[in-house]
Amino acid sequence: MIARRRKPVEAPPELPTVSEASDVQRALRLGWTVAETFGRLRVYQPEFANKRNDPNELPRFSYSNSDLSSAQQLEVSYRRLVELAAALDVQPPAEPDVAAILDGGAPASGDAETRKRIHGVLEAWSRATWIQLNVRSAALGRAMTYGGSLADTYWYMALPGSPAFLSGRQSIEALLRPQRLKRMQERMSALGESFPGELCDAIGHSLGMWMFDEAKERWAAASDWQTLGIPVEGVPTRTPPQQLHFNLFRQVRTWRDLLFESRQPLDYVSPGFRRRANLAAGTVTIVMVLLVAVIVGALVFGAFNLALNVANRFNVFSQIGGELIEAISVFVTVASTIAVLVAGLLARARRAVEQFDGWLESMIIRRAIRRQTTIAWNDLPRRPAD
Protein backbone atom coordinates (compact mmCIF):
# COMPACT_ATOMS: atom_id res chain seq x y z
CA MET A 1 0.00 0.00 0.00
CA ILE A 2 1.09 3.55 -0.70
CA ALA A 3 1.39 5.60 2.45
CA ARG A 4 -0.15 8.99 1.88
CA ARG A 5 0.72 11.94 4.02
CA ARG A 6 -2.36 13.00 5.87
CA LYS A 7 -3.26 16.64 5.49
CA PRO A 8 -3.20 18.32 8.90
CA VAL A 9 -6.55 19.47 10.12
CA GLU A 10 -6.62 23.24 10.45
CA ALA A 11 -8.00 24.52 13.71
CA PRO A 12 -10.86 27.00 13.39
CA PRO A 13 -9.87 30.63 13.94
CA GLU A 14 -10.11 31.63 17.57
CA LEU A 15 -12.50 34.41 18.42
CA PRO A 16 -10.95 37.32 20.30
CA THR A 17 -11.53 37.40 24.03
CA VAL A 18 -13.38 40.26 25.68
CA SER A 19 -10.07 41.86 26.72
CA GLU A 20 -8.59 41.55 23.21
CA ALA A 21 -11.73 42.96 21.61
CA SER A 22 -11.68 45.90 24.02
CA ASP A 23 -8.05 46.65 23.17
CA VAL A 24 -8.83 46.51 19.45
CA GLN A 25 -11.64 49.00 20.01
CA ARG A 26 -9.35 51.30 21.99
CA ALA A 27 -6.62 51.07 19.34
CA LEU A 28 -9.05 52.01 16.59
CA ARG A 29 -10.39 54.90 18.65
CA LEU A 30 -6.85 56.06 19.37
CA GLY A 31 -6.02 56.12 15.67
CA TRP A 32 -9.19 58.08 15.01
CA THR A 33 -8.50 60.53 17.85
CA VAL A 34 -4.98 61.37 16.68
CA ALA A 35 -6.30 62.31 13.24
CA GLU A 36 -9.26 64.22 14.69
CA THR A 37 -7.16 66.14 17.22
CA PHE A 38 -4.80 67.54 14.63
CA GLY A 39 -7.65 68.03 12.17
CA ARG A 40 -9.45 70.23 14.71
CA LEU A 41 -6.22 72.05 15.49
CA ARG A 42 -5.56 72.67 11.80
CA VAL A 43 -8.86 74.51 11.34
CA TYR A 44 -8.96 76.05 14.83
CA GLN A 45 -9.83 79.75 14.88
CA PRO A 46 -9.40 81.42 18.30
CA GLU A 47 -11.52 84.42 17.42
CA PHE A 48 -14.60 82.20 17.13
CA ALA A 49 -13.94 80.10 20.21
CA ASN A 50 -16.04 79.99 23.37
CA LYS A 51 -18.71 82.35 22.08
CA ARG A 52 -22.04 82.23 23.90
CA ASN A 53 -25.29 83.94 23.06
CA ASP A 54 -25.45 85.40 26.54
CA PRO A 55 -22.26 85.50 28.63
CA ASN A 56 -24.33 85.91 31.79
CA GLU A 57 -26.31 82.74 31.14
CA LEU A 58 -24.99 79.59 32.75
CA PRO A 59 -25.24 76.88 30.09
CA ARG A 60 -26.10 73.23 30.54
CA PHE A 61 -23.30 70.86 31.39
CA SER A 62 -21.57 69.96 28.14
CA TYR A 63 -21.61 66.20 28.72
CA SER A 64 -25.43 66.24 28.80
CA ASN A 65 -26.01 67.87 25.43
CA SER A 66 -22.57 68.02 23.69
CA ASP A 67 -22.90 71.78 23.27
CA LEU A 68 -19.19 72.51 22.93
CA SER A 69 -17.28 75.37 21.43
CA SER A 70 -14.45 74.68 18.99
CA ALA A 71 -11.87 75.07 21.77
CA GLN A 72 -13.77 72.68 24.04
CA GLN A 73 -14.12 70.14 21.23
CA LEU A 74 -10.37 70.32 20.68
CA GLU A 75 -9.81 69.85 24.42
CA VAL A 76 -12.16 66.84 24.56
CA SER A 77 -10.47 65.28 21.54
CA TYR A 78 -7.01 65.59 23.09
CA ARG A 79 -8.18 64.41 26.52
CA ARG A 80 -9.66 61.37 24.81
CA LEU A 81 -6.26 60.76 23.19
CA VAL A 82 -4.53 60.89 26.58
CA GLU A 83 -7.06 58.57 28.23
CA LEU A 84 -6.95 56.04 25.38
CA ALA A 85 -3.17 56.03 25.48
CA ALA A 86 -3.28 55.35 29.23
CA ALA A 87 -5.80 52.53 28.73
CA LEU A 88 -3.41 50.93 26.23
CA ASP A 89 -0.39 51.44 28.53
CA VAL A 90 1.15 54.02 26.22
CA GLN A 91 2.72 57.29 27.34
CA PRO A 92 0.93 60.38 25.96
CA PRO A 93 2.86 62.88 23.83
CA ALA A 94 5.02 65.31 25.78
CA GLU A 95 5.03 68.77 24.24
CA PRO A 96 4.13 72.07 25.95
CA ASP A 97 2.13 73.35 22.98
CA VAL A 98 0.16 70.10 22.82
CA ALA A 99 -0.34 69.92 26.59
CA ALA A 100 -1.71 73.47 26.51
CA ILE A 101 -4.84 72.05 24.91
CA LEU A 102 -5.70 70.49 28.27
CA ASP A 103 -6.16 73.97 29.70
CA GLY A 104 -9.33 74.33 27.67
CA GLY A 105 -7.85 76.20 24.77
CA ALA A 106 -5.26 75.80 22.05
CA PRO A 107 -1.56 76.58 21.74
CA ALA A 108 -0.73 80.14 22.56
CA SER A 109 0.31 80.74 18.99
CA GLY A 110 -1.94 79.42 16.27
CA ASP A 111 0.43 80.20 13.42
CA ALA A 112 1.60 77.75 10.79
CA GLU A 113 4.94 77.23 12.51
CA THR A 114 3.29 76.09 15.75
CA ARG A 115 0.99 73.72 13.87
CA LYS A 116 3.96 72.31 12.00
CA ARG A 117 5.82 71.68 15.25
CA ILE A 118 2.79 70.02 16.83
CA HIS A 119 2.32 67.90 13.73
CA GLY A 120 5.90 66.69 14.03
CA VAL A 121 5.37 65.78 17.69
CA LEU A 122 2.15 63.87 16.98
CA GLU A 123 3.71 62.19 13.94
CA ALA A 124 6.68 60.88 15.94
CA TRP A 125 4.50 59.87 18.89
CA SER A 126 1.80 58.15 16.80
CA ARG A 127 4.41 56.25 14.77
CA ALA A 128 6.13 55.01 17.94
CA THR A 129 2.76 54.10 19.45
CA TRP A 130 1.72 52.23 16.31
CA ILE A 131 4.97 50.23 16.38
CA GLN A 132 4.48 49.41 20.06
CA LEU A 133 0.89 48.24 19.53
CA ASN A 134 1.83 46.31 16.41
CA VAL A 135 4.55 44.42 18.30
CA ARG A 136 2.10 43.63 21.07
CA SER A 137 -0.52 42.42 18.59
CA ALA A 138 -0.83 42.83 14.84
CA ALA A 139 -4.58 43.30 15.32
CA LEU A 140 -3.96 46.39 17.48
CA GLY A 141 -1.66 47.92 14.88
CA ARG A 142 -4.20 47.31 12.13
CA ALA A 143 -7.01 48.75 14.24
CA MET A 144 -5.05 51.96 14.89
CA THR A 145 -4.39 52.27 11.15
CA TYR A 146 -8.05 51.69 10.31
CA GLY A 147 -9.23 54.33 12.80
CA GLY A 148 -6.82 56.96 11.55
CA SER A 149 -7.63 56.25 7.91
CA LEU A 150 -11.37 56.49 8.52
CA ALA A 151 -11.03 59.78 10.42
CA ASP A 152 -8.76 61.20 7.70
CA THR A 153 -11.69 60.94 5.29
CA TYR A 154 -12.87 64.25 6.72
CA TRP A 155 -10.21 65.62 9.04
CA TYR A 156 -7.38 65.50 6.48
CA MET A 157 -9.52 67.10 3.77
CA ALA A 158 -8.77 70.66 2.69
CA LEU A 159 -11.41 73.30 3.29
CA PRO A 160 -13.79 74.22 0.45
CA GLY A 161 -12.67 77.25 -1.51
CA SER A 162 -8.99 76.33 -1.46
CA PRO A 163 -7.23 74.82 -4.51
CA ALA A 164 -6.30 71.77 -2.43
CA PHE A 165 -10.00 70.92 -2.03
CA LEU A 166 -10.25 70.02 -5.74
CA SER A 167 -6.84 68.52 -6.44
CA GLY A 168 -4.03 66.87 -4.53
CA ARG A 169 -3.78 64.51 -1.58
CA GLN A 170 -6.17 66.58 0.54
CA SER A 171 -8.82 66.87 -2.14
CA ILE A 172 -12.31 65.48 -1.84
CA GLU A 173 -11.67 63.29 -4.87
CA ALA A 174 -8.58 61.68 -3.34
CA LEU A 175 -10.17 61.02 0.06
CA LEU A 176 -13.50 59.76 -1.32
CA ARG A 177 -12.17 57.78 -4.27
CA PRO A 178 -13.99 54.44 -4.63
CA GLN A 179 -10.85 52.29 -4.26
CA ARG A 180 -10.06 53.88 -0.91
CA LEU A 181 -13.57 53.61 0.51
CA LYS A 182 -13.94 50.01 -0.70
CA ARG A 183 -10.75 49.14 1.14
CA MET A 184 -12.15 50.73 4.28
CA GLN A 185 -15.35 48.72 3.83
CA GLU A 186 -13.24 45.57 3.83
CA ARG A 187 -11.43 46.79 6.93
CA MET A 188 -14.69 47.37 8.78
CA SER A 189 -15.83 43.87 7.84
CA ALA A 190 -12.58 42.51 9.27
CA LEU A 191 -13.39 44.21 12.59
CA GLY A 192 -16.75 42.48 12.86
CA GLU A 193 -15.50 40.24 15.67
CA SER A 194 -14.48 43.20 17.85
CA PHE A 195 -17.42 45.50 17.17
CA PRO A 196 -21.15 44.80 16.90
CA GLY A 197 -22.11 43.53 13.46
CA GLU A 198 -24.74 46.24 13.03
CA LEU A 199 -22.07 48.92 13.60
CA CYS A 200 -19.68 47.60 10.95
CA ASP A 201 -22.57 47.04 8.55
CA ALA A 202 -23.86 50.61 9.00
CA ILE A 203 -20.45 52.23 8.49
CA GLY A 204 -19.72 50.00 5.51
CA HIS A 205 -23.01 50.93 3.87
CA SER A 206 -22.51 54.67 4.35
CA LEU A 207 -18.98 54.40 2.94
CA GLY A 208 -20.51 52.98 -0.22
CA MET A 209 -22.91 55.92 -0.49
CA TRP A 210 -20.08 58.46 -0.18
CA MET A 211 -17.87 57.13 -2.98
CA PHE A 212 -16.79 59.93 -5.30
CA ASP A 213 -18.61 60.17 -8.63
CA GLU A 214 -19.57 62.72 -11.28
CA ALA A 215 -22.46 64.12 -9.24
CA LYS A 216 -20.22 64.84 -6.22
CA GLU A 217 -17.62 66.30 -8.56
CA ARG A 218 -20.16 68.80 -9.91
CA TRP A 219 -21.10 69.84 -6.36
CA ALA A 220 -17.45 70.22 -5.35
CA ALA A 221 -16.67 72.48 -8.32
CA ALA A 222 -19.90 74.52 -8.43
CA SER A 223 -19.69 78.18 -7.48
CA ASP A 224 -23.39 78.58 -6.61
CA TRP A 225 -26.69 76.68 -6.56
CA GLN A 226 -27.82 78.11 -9.91
CA THR A 227 -24.88 76.39 -11.58
CA LEU A 228 -26.27 73.04 -10.43
CA GLY A 229 -29.82 73.98 -11.41
CA ILE A 230 -31.09 73.24 -7.90
CA PRO A 231 -33.68 75.64 -6.48
CA VAL A 232 -32.86 76.60 -2.90
CA GLU A 233 -35.14 78.73 -0.75
CA GLY A 234 -33.75 82.00 0.49
CA VAL A 235 -30.06 82.81 0.34
CA PRO A 236 -28.09 79.99 1.98
CA THR A 237 -24.79 80.95 3.53
CA ARG A 238 -23.15 77.77 2.25
CA THR A 239 -22.14 77.18 -1.34
CA PRO A 240 -22.53 73.67 -2.83
CA PRO A 241 -18.91 72.70 -1.96
CA GLN A 242 -19.37 73.97 1.57
CA GLN A 243 -22.67 72.11 1.94
CA LEU A 244 -21.07 68.91 0.61
CA HIS A 245 -18.24 69.33 3.11
CA PHE A 246 -20.75 69.99 5.91
CA ASN A 247 -22.75 66.87 5.01
CA LEU A 248 -19.54 64.85 5.18
CA PHE A 249 -18.88 66.30 8.63
CA ARG A 250 -22.31 65.11 9.76
CA GLN A 251 -21.53 61.64 8.38
CA VAL A 252 -18.15 61.49 10.12
CA ARG A 253 -19.77 62.64 13.36
CA THR A 254 -22.17 59.69 13.07
CA TRP A 255 -19.24 57.31 12.52
CA ARG A 256 -17.53 58.71 15.60
CA ASP A 257 -20.68 58.32 17.72
CA LEU A 258 -20.88 54.67 16.66
CA LEU A 259 -17.21 53.84 17.10
CA PHE A 260 -16.97 55.56 20.49
CA GLU A 261 -20.34 54.11 21.56
CA SER A 262 -21.85 57.51 22.20
CA ARG A 263 -24.82 55.92 20.49
CA GLN A 264 -25.51 52.24 19.96
CA PRO A 265 -26.67 51.07 16.51
CA LEU A 266 -30.07 50.10 17.97
CA ASP A 267 -30.47 53.67 19.28
CA TYR A 268 -31.19 54.71 15.69
CA VAL A 269 -34.36 52.58 15.54
CA SER A 270 -37.23 52.97 17.96
CA PRO A 271 -38.50 50.14 20.20
CA GLY A 272 -41.78 50.33 18.30
CA PHE A 273 -40.01 49.68 15.01
CA ARG A 274 -38.17 46.72 16.53
CA ARG A 275 -41.49 45.25 17.67
CA ARG A 276 -42.93 45.72 14.18
CA ALA A 277 -39.82 44.12 12.67
CA ASN A 278 -40.26 41.12 14.98
CA LEU A 279 -43.94 40.84 14.00
CA ALA A 280 -43.18 41.19 10.29
CA ALA A 281 -40.42 38.58 10.41
CA GLY A 282 -42.67 36.18 12.33
CA THR A 283 -45.52 36.69 9.86
CA VAL A 284 -43.31 36.07 6.83
CA THR A 285 -41.82 32.99 8.48
CA ILE A 286 -45.25 31.52 9.28
CA VAL A 287 -46.49 32.18 5.73
CA MET A 288 -43.41 30.51 4.27
CA VAL A 289 -43.78 27.50 6.59
CA LEU A 290 -47.43 27.13 5.55
CA LEU A 291 -46.52 27.36 1.87
CA VAL A 292 -43.80 24.74 2.29
CA ALA A 293 -46.22 22.50 4.19
CA VAL A 294 -48.85 22.83 1.44
CA ILE A 295 -46.29 22.09 -1.28
CA VAL A 296 -44.86 19.09 0.57
CA GLY A 297 -48.37 17.80 1.31
CA ALA A 298 -49.33 18.13 -2.34
CA LEU A 299 -46.19 16.25 -3.39
CA VAL A 300 -46.85 13.45 -0.88
CA PHE A 301 -50.48 13.21 -1.94
CA GLY A 302 -49.46 13.09 -5.59
CA ALA A 303 -46.84 10.43 -4.94
CA PHE A 304 -49.36 8.34 -2.98
CA ASN A 305 -51.94 8.53 -5.79
CA LEU A 306 -49.29 7.67 -8.34
CA ALA A 307 -48.29 4.59 -6.31
CA LEU A 308 -51.94 3.48 -6.07
CA ASN A 309 -52.43 3.88 -9.82
CA VAL A 310 -49.33 1.85 -10.54
CA ALA A 311 -50.46 -0.86 -8.11
CA ASN A 312 -53.93 -1.04 -9.67
CA ARG A 313 -52.51 -1.16 -13.18
CA PHE A 314 -50.33 -4.17 -12.45
CA ASN A 315 -52.88 -5.86 -10.15
CA VAL A 316 -50.43 -5.83 -7.27
CA PHE A 317 -53.14 -6.25 -4.61
CA SER A 318 -54.70 -9.28 -6.35
CA GLN A 319 -51.35 -10.98 -6.51
CA ILE A 320 -50.63 -10.51 -2.83
CA GLY A 321 -53.37 -12.93 -1.79
CA GLY A 322 -52.50 -14.81 1.33
CA GLU A 323 -49.32 -12.86 1.88
CA LEU A 324 -51.28 -9.77 2.94
CA ILE A 325 -50.23 -10.04 6.58
CA GLU A 326 -46.55 -10.19 5.65
CA ALA A 327 -46.98 -7.21 3.32
CA ILE A 328 -48.65 -5.21 6.07
CA SER A 329 -45.83 -5.94 8.49
CA VAL A 330 -43.27 -4.84 5.93
CA PHE A 331 -45.29 -1.68 5.34
CA VAL A 332 -45.42 -0.90 9.06
CA THR A 333 -41.64 -1.40 9.37
CA VAL A 334 -40.96 0.92 6.43
CA ALA A 335 -43.45 3.48 7.76
CA SER A 336 -41.82 3.51 11.20
CA THR A 337 -38.41 4.02 9.62
CA ILE A 338 -39.76 6.89 7.54
CA ALA A 339 -41.38 8.38 10.66
CA VAL A 340 -38.02 8.41 12.45
CA LEU A 341 -36.40 10.13 9.48
CA VAL A 342 -39.23 12.65 9.25
CA ALA A 343 -38.93 13.43 12.97
CA GLY A 344 -35.22 14.19 12.52
CA LEU A 345 -35.97 16.34 9.51
CA LEU A 346 -38.65 18.21 11.43
CA ALA A 347 -36.21 18.95 14.26
CA ARG A 348 -33.72 20.31 11.75
CA ALA A 349 -36.49 22.21 10.01
CA ARG A 350 -37.51 23.79 13.30
CA ARG A 351 -33.99 25.06 13.90
CA ALA A 352 -33.81 26.31 10.31
CA VAL A 353 -37.11 28.14 10.74
CA GLU A 354 -35.91 29.77 13.97
CA GLN A 355 -32.65 30.81 12.31
CA PHE A 356 -34.50 32.21 9.30
CA ASP A 357 -36.85 34.17 11.54
CA GLY A 358 -33.92 35.68 13.47
CA TRP A 359 -32.01 36.44 10.27
CA LEU A 360 -35.01 38.14 8.66
CA GLU A 361 -35.68 40.28 11.72
CA SER A 362 -31.99 41.23 11.90
CA MET A 363 -31.96 42.21 8.22
CA ILE A 364 -35.05 44.42 8.62
CA ILE A 365 -33.47 46.20 11.58
CA ARG A 366 -30.10 46.51 9.85
CA ARG A 367 -31.70 48.15 6.81
CA ALA A 368 -33.38 50.68 9.08
CA ILE A 369 -30.08 51.35 10.87
CA ARG A 370 -28.37 51.86 7.52
CA ARG A 371 -30.96 54.46 6.50
CA GLN A 372 -30.72 56.31 9.79
CA THR A 373 -26.92 56.35 9.98
CA THR A 374 -26.27 57.36 6.37
CA ILE A 375 -26.20 61.10 5.76
CA ALA A 376 -27.21 61.99 2.21
CA TRP A 377 -24.26 63.65 0.50
CA ASN A 378 -26.65 65.87 -1.50
CA ASP A 379 -28.73 66.98 1.48
CA LEU A 380 -29.72 70.59 0.83
CA PRO A 381 -29.61 73.42 3.38
CA ARG A 382 -32.55 72.93 5.68
CA ARG A 383 -33.06 76.62 6.44
CA PRO A 384 -32.25 79.76 4.51
CA ALA A 385 -29.72 80.70 7.19
CA ASP A 386 -28.19 77.21 7.32
Side-chain angles (χ1 to χ4, degrees), residues 51-69:
K51 282 194 173 182
R52 296 291 180 185
N53 294 331
D54 184 0
N56 297 321
E57 178 185 354
L58 298 178
R60 292 171 58 186
F61 291 110
S62 57
Y63 75 88
S64 65
N65 65 346
S66 300
D67 183 18
L68 302 174
S69 66

Side-chain angles (χ1 to χ4, degrees), residues 18 25 71 81 98 107 144 188 235 263 344:
V18 175
Q25 294 176 10
L81 186 155
V98 178
M144 184 175 177
M188 290 308 304
V235 182
R263 297 186 67 180

Side-chain angles (χ1 to χ4, degrees), residues 222-237:
S223 57
D224 51 43
W225 295 101
Q226 287 73 21
T227 304
L228 296 175
I230 299 176
V232 180
E233 297 181 1
V235 182
T237 58

